[in-house]
Amino acid sequence: SRPFPTQPPELVSTAPSSRSLRVAVAYDDCFHCYFPDTLDALELLGAELCEFSPLVDERLPEDTDIVYLGCGHPHDHAGTLAENECMRAALREHVCSGRRVYAEGGGAAYLCQQLRLLDDSVVPMVGVFAAEAKFTGRPLARPVPVTLTCERSTWIAGQGDTVRGYRNGAWRLIPSPGLTPCFSSDLPEPECVVRHHCVGSTVHLNFAAQPRVLEAFFVPHAPSLSL
């Protein structure tokens, strides 16, 4: 009921970035769950957002710097995602060239070695993360706010940094040897993992509400396979 301030606070700077940034955003019938203000903030800061479809496209958009895979329903499209071997190979090539990816929820599940569905069938996925993504079929009635502390530096956060997000419980990552957690968690399975410069999370993050993390998209980045 309080009136809006005369001058609203500026949450992000609209100054243009010192370098161009092309972010490929997965958007189709499978992947379409994003915080709209995160996408708006990226564009305000100078990023060029390009949509692509893991369901039907054979390759990523040209000159992609960062791939952004939001949450969605890969359990409903598992067969089609598995059959699109060209896109699976394109994503592996992007990661293995040392370039950046951020994936959360269903997007992170898609990057695992396989999905385990409710009928206990298993479907192969991209294979970036050494894990099986298990669809629980029991998302929480209301997302739970959580704060995670970075234990291993990644391109979105340095060691000791904290990020805030929401856990909905729809996906569990069942790790294989070699899976590297990067944020602390109070759950037995990892919630945020990293391989090279690919970060996957079962926690949904609103980057627009965390300017330090949002600005990490624009930090000059040298491709690396060190992690």
Side-chain angles (χ1 to χ4, degrees):
S1 63
R2 290 178 297 173
F4 283 107
T6 305
Q7 180 65 36
E10 186 174 354
L11 298 180
V12 297
S13 169
T14 57
S17 171
S18 60
R19 62 183 294 271
S20 61
L21 181 75
R22 180 171 254 209
V23 181
V25 180
Y27 201 92
D28 55 21
D29 289 342
C30 181
F31 301 102
H32 49 256
C33 300
Y34 297 91
F35 289 101
D37 43 345
T38 289
L39 302 180
D40 290 344
L42 285 170
E43 288 191 313
L44 279 171
L45 288 170
E48 178 187 1
L49 304 187
C50 304
E51 293 181 5
F52 75 100
S53 171
L55 290 173
V56 301
D57 290 339
E58 296 183 349
R59 59 181 65 86
L60 295 170
E62 289 291 326
D63 301 321
T64 291
D65 295 303
I66 299 175
V67 174
Y68 188 178
L69 288 156
C71 194
H73 310 282
H75 51 287
D76 290 333
H77 302 272
T80 304
L81 291 171
E83 290 169 2
N84 192 349
E85 296 182 4
C86 291
M87 178 54 70
R88 290 163 59 196
L91 287 165
R92 288 194 297 269
E93 181 181 357
H94 182 85
V95 173
C96 291
S97 67
R99 299 189 181 278
R100 292 182 285 176
V101 179
Y102 174 72
E104 66 184 18
Y110 174 51
L111 295 182
C112 290
Q113 293 171 327
Q114 58 190 24
L115 295 185
R116 185 169 294 274
L117 305 177
L118 288 179
D119 62 3
D120 216 33
S121 62
V122 172
V123 184
M125 289 289 111
V126 176
V128 170
F129 296 129
E132 175 183 278
K134 182 177 178 62
F135 179 58
T136 69
R138 301 184 303 275
L140 303 174
R142 179 177 298 175
V144 175
V146 295
T147 300
L148 303 178
T149 301
C150 185
E151 295 182 332
R152 179 168 191 153
S153 293
T154 70
W155 66 268
I156 68 169
Q159 187 171 10
D161 290 345
T162 59
V163 298
R164 291 173 290 109
Y166 299 90
R167 176 191 295 152
N168 73 3
W171 293 97
R172 293 171 54 207
L173 300 184
I174 312 300
S176 301
L179 186 69
T180 305
C182 52
F183 283 82
S184 62
S185 173
D186 58 356
L187 298 182
E189 293 93 11
E191 292 192 277
C192 193
V193 295
V194 61
R195 182 181 180 192
H196 304 325
H197 286 297
C198 179
V199 178
S201 174
T202 59
V203 172
H204 296 220
L205 305 180
N206 185 351
F207 293 120
Q210 301 172 92
R212 185 185 71 254
V213 183
L214 181 70
E215 289 166 4
F217 278 75
F218 297 89
V219 173
H221 169 72
S224 170
L225 301 178
S226 61
L227 291 176

